[in-house]
Amino acid sequence: MEKELQAKVDKLQSLLKSYGCVAIAFSAGVDSTLLLKAAVEFLGREQVLALTVQSPLAPAAEVAEARAFCREEGIRHEVLTLDPLLYYDVRTNPPERCYFCKRLIFGKLREAAGRGHIVHLLDGTNADDMQDYRPGARVLQELGILSPLKEAGMGKSDIRAYAAALGLAAAQKPSAACLASRIPYGEELSLDKLQRIDQAEAFLHQEGFSQVRVRSHGDMARLELLPEDIGRFMTAGRYAQTAQKLKKLGFAYVTLDLEGYRMGSMNETLKGK
């Protein structure tokens, strides 16, 4: 392990040991997986509780992956059910939607941690996450959620490198995000829209495209793929098959974004406001 990364891992270890018993918001993404694994390594399994929220806003595969990882690793794990669509401030999808949704999610996680008499609730926010528009980050401060990866100065590349060193399959897992981030601000969220997006992205994953976003604009799907995958996608069989599949899911039009995948593309409309 490189010296710079080792120093960050040492800082992470020091932070985790200072907390003692912890609960970790676990989505099965690379960040929270690395944090959970590190907590178990440094604190022991009896000191760690993984908490996963099952919600219409999260890809269906995430909960199954979270359950499987904790089962394989012998980690205590609770799955909590929450439907943010029942709440007006989330369902109507304002630019501050992430803040309201995070308050619901972390409030529920905080309650679950409290039932286990656990004071410290951790999340996988990393040092790179502050580069995008993230109104939900305020919730972490308001509810006293700790982000040791960020505090240790670990960015995405550090996390992937450390996860690989620990032998975690999630080391190369593509970045994930709430399904609501595929829908323009101001367009009301619904279960049908979210499920359609989830199924469309699952199809593209099955077709061999690891990092994808299906942005939903009314009845139009705007596909974001990695730039290096666009040429492969544009072979006659692939784009035609994809269009056919997404139309069966309920989209009337299917388009390809020529700029390719980029984090938080729906936030581009907020610039200058």
Side-chain angles (χ1 to χ4, degrees), residues 5-273:
L5 177 56
Q6 184 62 60
K8 293 177 181 179
V9 172
D10 291 343
K11 178 65 179 298
L12 177 63
Q13 179 178 7
S14 177
L15 287 167
L16 289 170
K17 286 189 172 181
S18 72
Y19 305 148
C21 190
V22 299
I24 294 177
F26 181 49
S27 69
V30 61
D31 299 335
S32 63
T33 299
L34 183 279
L35 179 60
L36 181 57
K37 180 70 172 180
V40 169
E41 291 286 320
F42 297 140
L43 300 176
R45 287 181 179 81
E46 67 282 358
Q47 296 293 96
V48 179
L49 172 64
L51 296 171
T52 300
V53 171
Q54 185 170 20
S55 158
L57 275 63
E62 282 189 356
V63 174
E65 291 171 4
R67 288 185 191 275
F69 181 82
C70 290
R71 183 171 58 250
E72 291 165 6
E73 296 287 327
I75 298 170
R76 287 189 299 151
H77 184 215
E78 291 183 23
V79 176
L80 314 170
T81 301
L82 176 68
D83 186 359
L85 297 180
L86 296 176
Y87 298 85
Y88 177 86
D89 288 331
V90 175
R91 186 176 63 254
T92 53
N93 196 22
E96 291 283 295
R97 178 207 70 241
C98 185
Y99 169 80
F100 298 116
C101 191
K102 288 281 190 184
R103 279 216 55 111
L104 291 170
I105 290 172
F106 279 97
K108 195 169 187 70
L109 292 173
R110 173 62 80 191
E111 289 175 4
R115 288 194 298 271
H117 306 289
I118 299 173
V119 174
H120 300 297
L121 175 58
L122 282 51
D123 91 312
T125 299
N126 68 63
D128 294 336
D129 284 336
M130 297 301 102
Q131 297 174 14
D132 190 25
Y133 173 69
R134 292 179 181 265
R138 295 204 322 266
V139 172
L140 305 181
Q141 294 180 325
E142 293 172 0
L143 298 183
I145 312 302
L146 302 173
S147 303
L149 297 176
K150 184 182 74 171
E151 294 302 315
M154 300 184 75
K156 203 72 171 185
S157 61
D158 299 317
I159 290 166
R160 291 195 186 279
Y162 184 28
L166 293 177
L168 295 174
Q172 299 305 318
K173 190 173 182 180
S175 298
C178 167
L179 292 173
S181 67
R182 280 59 153 178
I183 298 174
Y185 295 116
E187 181 180 327
E188 187 161 319
L189 307 180
S190 72
L191 182 59
D192 287 345
K193 291 177 185 177
L194 296 169
Q195 289 180 334
R196 182 170 64 179
I197 293 166
D198 191 19
Q199 291 168 17
E201 292 188 356
F203 168 78
L204 287 163
H205 289 315
Q206 291 167 6
E207 290 296 299
F209 298 99
S210 60
Q211 186 71 77
V212 302
R213 293 290 185 269
V214 176
R215 310 291 187 185
S216 175
H217 300 263
D219 60 1
M220 183 184 76
R222 173 170 59 87
L223 311 187
E224 292 181 12
L225 304 175
L226 292 173
E228 58 266 31
D229 284 340
I230 290 177
R232 182 162 62 92
F233 174 81
M234 287 306 296
T235 61
R238 286 188 180 275
Y239 76 75
Q241 183 182 17
T242 299
Q244 182 181 42
K245 175 64 176 180
L246 269 60
K247 286 186 176 183
K248 284 184 178 179
L249 291 175
F251 289 105
Y253 307 98
V254 181
T255 67
L256 178 66
D257 191 318
L258 298 182
E259 290 188 74
Y261 166 76
R262 57 220 184 265
M263 182 177 67
S265 73
M266 288 302 195
N267 296 331
E268 293 168 359
T269 61
L270 299 177
K271 293 177 181 178
K273 291 187 179 182

